[in-house]
Amino acid sequence: QVQLVESGGGLVQAGGSLRLSCAASGRTNSRYAMGWFRQAPGKEREFVAAISWSGGSTPYAESVKGRFTISREYAKNTVFLQMNSLKPEDTAVYYCAADPLLQAISSRGARYLEVWGQGTLVTVTS
């Protein structure tokens, strides 16, 4: 099993930037796709971005396209989410997820995923 730990959340003004990190440990020799979800108060957990094991495929939610960039550093078993031009509606707890299949992260929905981090809070003020 893979364990995930997120970091990098915080308080930022609208228009600002944050970089989230997700460090994987455990069975990191397995080929996992990884992704980010977010959950705002009173709302369901929603897909944000994902990256394939190879890094060659990076689907994004429409709401973050052009503003967020997902990447991974294999040597550190870490996935990053660079968030630019942040908006108050980006405020949420951001969760990292892992699955052998990229499509499982980008298309099937949060309820089908089993490997999650504990989340990191991002607050964007207007």
Side-chain angles (χ1 to χ4, degrees), residues 7-8 12 21 25 28 30 34 44 58 66 71 73 75 77-78 81 84 95 97 102 109-111 116 126:
S7 61
V12 64
S21 299
S25 61
T28 56
S30 298
M34 296 182 71
E44 292 188 354
T58 54
S71 61
E73 185 172 343
N77 294 317
T78 300
L81 186 68
N84 299 328
Y95 296 91
L102 176 67
R111 68 184 67 184
W116 294 94
S126 58

Side-chain angles (χ1 to χ4, degrees), residues 3-4 11 15 34 42 58 68 95 110:
Q3 292 81 44
L4 305 174
L11 180 67
M34 296 182 71
T58 54
F68 291 10
Y95 296 91

Side-chain angles (χ1 to χ4, degrees), residues 25-119:
S25 61
R27 293 186 60 184
T28 56
N29 59 327
S30 298
R31 296 191 172 192
Y32 282 90
M34 296 182 71
W36 290 93
F37 287 73
R38 65 186 181 187
Q39 188 166 19
K43 294 188 177 181
E44 292 188 354
R45 193 171 297 189
E46 65 175 3
F47 169 73
V48 175
I51 187 166
S52 61
W53 166 251
S54 69
S57 182
T58 54
Y60 293 90
E62 286 295 327
S63 59
V64 306
K65 277 184 179 179
R67 300 189 298 123
F68 291 10
T69 302
I70 190 170
S71 61
R72 65 191 305 167
E73 185 172 343
Y74 296 93
K76 296 183 178 180
N77 294 317
T78 300
V79 171
F80 303 98
L81 186 68
Q82 178 68 43
M83 305 186 296
N84 299 328
S85 302
L86 283 161
K87 305 175 181 179
E89 51 264 43
D90 293 319
T91 295
V93 178
Y94 282 71
Y95 296 91
C96 182
D99 193 277
L101 298 177
L102 176 67
Q103 189 175 12
I105 298 175
S106 62
S107 303
R108 295 192 65 191
R111 68 184 67 184
Y112 295 102
L113 301 176
E114 297 180 346
V115 181
W116 294 94
Q118 82 289 351

